[in-house]
Amino acid sequence: MLRELVLLAYNWHSMGRWILLALALAALVRCGWVWVRNEARGGIDRVLLTGFAAVMTVQGVLGLVALFGLGALGAAFPLTSILHGIVTCLAIVVSFLFLRWDDAPVRVRARNSLFSVSGALMCAVIGMSLLPGGLMRIVNV
């Protein structure tokens, strides 16, 4: 039973990157548009940013479940996976930084949200590069 749950968490963690990437691209485009055009932010901005941060958090939780579950099943705790987990935790923190600028002017919020999503994506890429197979894992589904 534990084995099936751990494998399920691992598979969802592997597939969740595509949802994360789609939300990140949509958030980057929207925040960039608001920043450049100085438009008023709408509800879609908040939904995209919150969705991105939430999916990043779910990815982190699924990764931790997979890491500790595989460790409990006897697969040990590889240093590369532990470092990947640490960088993912940093990416989660960075993905929530957009909340810090709620009272700022529109352009400042859009710019800082753009940087928040970009920074979280950079952390995710760095974290993936630490794993065996490196960035080639991105193209493998």
Side-chain angles (χ1 to χ4, degrees), residues 12-130:
W12 284 355
H13 179 69
S14 295
M15 297 305 272
R17 64 182 168 216
W18 299 111
I19 298 168
L20 188 67
L21 183 61
L23 282 171
L25 290 176
L28 287 173
V29 167
R30 179 63 185 159
C31 289
W33 182 264
V34 170
W35 183 26
V36 170
R37 305 287 255 165
N38 199 19
E39 283 188 6
R41 286 181 60 167
I44 191 69
D45 305 332
R46 188 74 165 185
V47 168
L48 288 171
L49 293 168
T50 303
F52 174 72
V55 171
M56 183 70 81
T57 304
V58 169
Q59 279 291 93
V61 169
L62 287 172
L64 287 175
V65 167
L67 175 67
F68 288 115
L70 289 171
L73 291 173
F77 297 100
L79 181 60
T80 55
S81 296
I82 293 170
L83 291 175
H84 172 72
I86 291 169
V87 174
T88 301
C89 289
L90 179 63
I92 292 168
V93 170
V94 172
S95 72
F96 277 99
L97 286 178
F98 76 94
L99 294 171
R100 198 169 154 82
W101 297 285
D102 271 348
D103 297 334
V106 172
R107 290 192 74 184
V108 172
R109 279 189 308 205
R111 182 196 62 208
N112 292 348
S113 297
L114 183 78
F115 290 155
S116 173
V117 173
S118 299
L121 279 178
M122 286 174 33
C123 289
V125 168
I126 290 168
M128 285 191 69
S129 68
L130 295 172

